[in-house]
Amino acid sequence: MLMPFASLAQSEVVVTAGAAAPEKTLGEVVILGKRVESNPNAEVGAPYKAKTSADTRHTRPLAETPQTISVLTRTALDDSGLSDLKQVLGAQPGITLGTGENGNAFGDRYIIRGQEARSDVFVDGLRDPGMTTRESFAIEQLEISKGPNSSFAGRGTAGGAINAITKQATLDHDFERVSIGAGSDSQKRVTADLNKGFGDHFALRANVLYGDEEVPGRAPSERNRKGIALSGLYELDKDLSVTIDYYGLRTKDQLPDLGFYLTGTVPNRVPATNVPVYAQANDALGSDVDTLTARVNWTIAPALKLSSLTRVGKSDNFYQTTGASAGTRYDGATGTAYTTGYIDGGHTGWQEVKYFAHQSNLRWDKELFGLKHEMIFGAEYTDHQVVSGNFTVANGNPFNCKSTAGVGANNAFCFTNSAGVPVANLANLSGRSYARNTYNQDWQVKALALTAMDTVDVTENTTLFGGLRADHFDMSLVRRTPATGVITGDYGYKDTLVNGHFGLSYKVLPKLIVYGSAATAQDINGGEADSGTSSGYGGAVLYQNKIAGAKPETSVNLELGSKWNLMDDKLLATAALFQTKKKDVMEGANYDTIGTFNTGSNRVRGIEIGLSGNVTESLSVQMGASVIKSKVLASATPANIGKPLSNFAEQSLSVQGKYQLTDAFSFGAAVRHESDRCGGQPDTAAGFTAAGLCSQPVPSFTVGDIFAAYRFSRRFDVRMNVLNVTNKDYFTAVYRSGSFLYKGDARAVRVTLNYEI
């Protein structure tokens, strides 16, 4: 709009009689503008703040939604320098990471407010059952709902749900953005985000990824990522549009690192030091993901809108990994005892995942009985199947140490000999190879769900929300002996889950609400596809060789909170007190079917605060902090009662801030803190000794990152990230035996060039 005035301002002409008109040249006129945001849910002018949820069932802005929902915008993700979803979520308050738990090492494992959430990851509102390694290159914003969420998400979601919102084609504007990154640890990363409209009705968008790096501080372990996301939009008119998306991702970790391990005995049980990379040469972990999604958005009438989403997909996952521990071993030739690290026999698995899902939601805005209602009626059908098996492990090299005392044949692989001399080539210590076996399990769940929700303004300041969802599921689980093909178990059952969500909010000020909410969630027996009949890890608990006979586990969340839009709606402050109580918990003993139906109960209480948006015109911040306490209330094992739950930190903090010093230069930092935690099985008390000391402790940590960016022109800028700037050794998760202690990345430097074509 300023262009005509800018042109006129280039010269000033003064005319006098009988004289030539002299010219006076003014200074350079600079026209500044901000890049148009491609995310329709963003708050304009506040890069770290989302205004709305991409889930259309949330009919009000996030600042008016009676629930804790943390949102990470695309800008916040880019500034952080983190790319894998596990890294991003591990830095959020109230979320901790778990280990692959031996036989269940597929993909990423999250724990939200003390509850398992590895199967509670959604993409654009539909459950993503692939349990893969997930990447952020195609994500527009990341929404984390805290507290039981079955009325929105269906079975599971006892602690919350993670919803990744993908980048979609748009007719709003064209853009071509390319990012090229390089850094320490041989890091290379290239991404491109291209959107082009063709006329008034059709647009295409493509996002591509290539990434490769050594694991910081743990070379030669390395990560490789390749991906493409294609989106095509056809907009017949402003009332009807169809979008078809394809998403493909190929991930592979070569020599995947299972980290360190704990040594010593309580109370002196601590992480080992100077642990070398012990992964064997043929070790690998990978995922191949392909999904096709079609969505329809139809405004039938001004007050009647239909959104429909259909997805078909598959993923192929595998892992071939080696763990390690330390302890006393023996020289088989001399019987000499010595302390050393040693590798275990390996951990393997593969999955073939196929899924189909359809969800339709009809929104109807209607005034009834003098009150404004925003009603949602939904239907969803899903069919998820997971066929899985493992690999046979063969060792081609001779053993070099002995696990039992005395002289005799060696039967183990050790890092050093009895004189303390390290082996020459640790990656080839065992000469390990893997051969894929046929399947040993076929897991499938089909479910049909119906949903009804309503948001109604009772008074000018008071709003009620109510939601109800019924899920009818049909689950089957077939177990098989691969070598013979003999079926060893054929289990199945059906049930219907009914869950609700109720919220009441009151506007204390035009931009400040207080609210109360209550919500439920239910988990089913055997609902974790990667666990089979490993009852201790979410697998099926059997009784008289049957899976049925158990009530669903039920979680109830009560929450009191407030949300305040500040700084002309550019800053959102939130605070919430919550309690989640879980009853009818199925308790498992181990990696077997031994367990008990509905004998457990636990409680989680806490407070969480958040801040996102612009503190000033120049300072953007994304902050969250939580303090959580947990307690086992009932258990088939009396000694567990009164103990905390396993694998979560009672205090956590995450702060990311960016300061725009000039129009061209910005800088920032991120700090995350987690208190210590104690390992153990899901839904079971953390491992404590009789004296009340944690047997598998993970130390607390505080890690800081810094970043800076400089914009050379409207089209070109550069950003530098230094992750773990103090190069701190820290650990994110522990296996219940202490043999896997996942290590956070060491210091890493990343430089990224961003160019808009």
Side-chain angles (χ1 to χ4, degrees), residues 137 207-211 225-229 247-250:
F137 80 101
N207 279 267
V208 296
L209 160 72
Y210 172 80
R225 310 285 185 260
K226 300 174 184 177
I228 184 169
Y247 176 82
L249 181 67
R250 304 292 182 264

Side-chain angles (χ1 to χ4, degrees), residues 328-338 401-411:
T328 301
R329 287 298 182 263
Y330 303 87
D331 185 318
T334 65
T336 302
Y338 64 105
C401 64
K402 190 169 177 281
S403 62
T404 55
V407 175
N410 289 330
N411 63 355

Side-chain angles (χ1 to χ4, degrees), residues 51-53 55-66 69 363 372-374 454-460 462-465 505 507:
K51 182 177 182 180
T52 57
S53 167
D55 189 333
T56 58
R57 292 171 295 183
H58 292 296
T59 62
R60 298 294 173 91
L62 290 166
E64 300 176 24
T65 302
I69 302 177
R363 174 174 172 173
K372 176 189 174 184
H373 293 257
E374 296 166 354
D454 189 13
T455 302
V456 55
D457 292 326
V458 179
T459 69
E460 184 179 353
T462 306
T463 302
L464 282 173
F465 168 79
S505 61
K507 285 186 178 180

Side-chain angles (χ1 to χ4, degrees), residues 114-415:
Q115 307 292 342
E116 282 288 320
R118 68 183 184 272
S119 296
D120 298 329
V121 179
F122 294 74
V123 176
D124 296 324
L126 285 179
R127 188 183 298 271
D128 178 27
M131 284 178 283
T132 61
T133 299
R134 298 178 172 94
E135 239 282 344
S136 64
F137 80 101
I139 293 177
E140 197 77 83
Q141 74 180 30
L142 194 62
E143 302 181 3
I144 307 164
S145 301
K146 305 288 182 66
N149 203 37
S150 283
S151 56
F152 280 86
R155 61 182 176 83
T157 63
I162 298 158
N163 190 18
I165 310 305
T166 59
K167 298 177 180 179
Q168 301 296 312
T170 178
L171 283 165
D172 292 342
H173 61 291
D174 294 346
F175 52 84
E176 300 87 26
R177 301 165 185 159
V178 177
S179 298
I180 301 174
S184 59
D185 313 291
S186 303
Q187 186 255 3
K188 301 174 289 293
R189 183 177 174 88
V190 179
T191 62
D193 186 359
L194 315 172
N195 187 88
K196 175 67 176 176
F198 300 88
D200 296 330
H201 302 286
F202 184 62
L204 286 175
R205 187 171 184 177
N207 279 267
V208 296
L209 160 72
Y210 172 80
D212 185 79
E213 67 176 359
E214 294 177 343
V215 178
R218 299 295 286 171
S221 294
E222 65 178 40
R223 305 167 180 142
N224 181 271
R225 310 285 185 260
K226 300 174 184 177
I228 184 169
L230 302 175
S231 176
L233 166 68
Y234 179 72
E235 191 175 273
L236 180 64
D237 52 41
K238 292 299 181 182
D239 294 330
L240 179 61
S241 66
V242 178
T243 306
I244 297 178
D245 306 328
Y246 165 77
Y247 176 82
L249 181 67
R250 304 292 182 264
T251 72
K252 191 169 185 180
D253 293 357
Q254 298 282 12
L255 279 75
D257 181 35
L258 295 186
F260 285 22
Y261 39 78
L262 293 172
T263 61
T265 57
V266 176
N268 300 310
R269 192 147 170 78
V270 295
T273 57
N274 300 319
V275 176
V277 177
Y278 50 81
Q280 297 300 283
N282 289 322
D283 286 2
L285 182 154
S287 297
D288 291 351
V289 182
D290 297 279
T291 63
L292 187 66
T293 304
R295 65 197 81 216
V296 177
N297 292 304
W298 182 20
T299 301
I300 303 170
L304 196 63
K305 299 179 181 179
L306 175 68
S307 59
S308 182
L309 192 67
T310 303
R311 178 174 298 142
V312 60
K314 68 181 184 69
S315 64
D316 295 322
N317 312 317
F318 79 95
Y319 64 94
Q320 302 159 345
T321 59
T322 299
S325 298
T328 301
R329 287 298 182 263
Y330 303 87
D331 185 318
T334 65
T336 302
Y338 64 105
T339 300
T340 183
Y342 53 88
I343 64 172
D344 61 22
H347 312 274
T348 71
W350 60 264
Q351 286 182 333
E352 293 177 353
V353 183
K354 297 180 181 178
Y355 51 99
F356 172 84
H358 173 83
Q359 182 188 98
S360 287
N361 294 303
L362 182 68
R363 174 174 172 173
W364 186 25
D365 294 346
K366 180 69 173 177
E367 186 170 314
L368 298 173
F369 309 109
L371 300 176
K372 176 189 174 184
H373 293 257
E374 296 166 354
M375 294 175 284
I376 301 287
F377 301 98
E380 181 176 300
Y381 175 77
T382 59
D383 183 355
H384 296 162
Q385 182 182 26
V386 182
V387 178
S388 56
N390 55 26
F391 296 80
T392 295
V393 182
N395 296 313
N397 291 340
F399 297 115
N400 69 341
C401 64
K402 190 169 177 281
S403 62
T404 55
V407 175
N410 289 330
N411 63 355
F413 292 106
C414 291
F415 292 3

Side-chain angles (χ1 to χ4, degrees), residues 687-701:
F688 281 85
T689 66
L693 300 174
C694 176
S695 57
Q696 310 299 344
V698 180
S700 64
F701 66 84

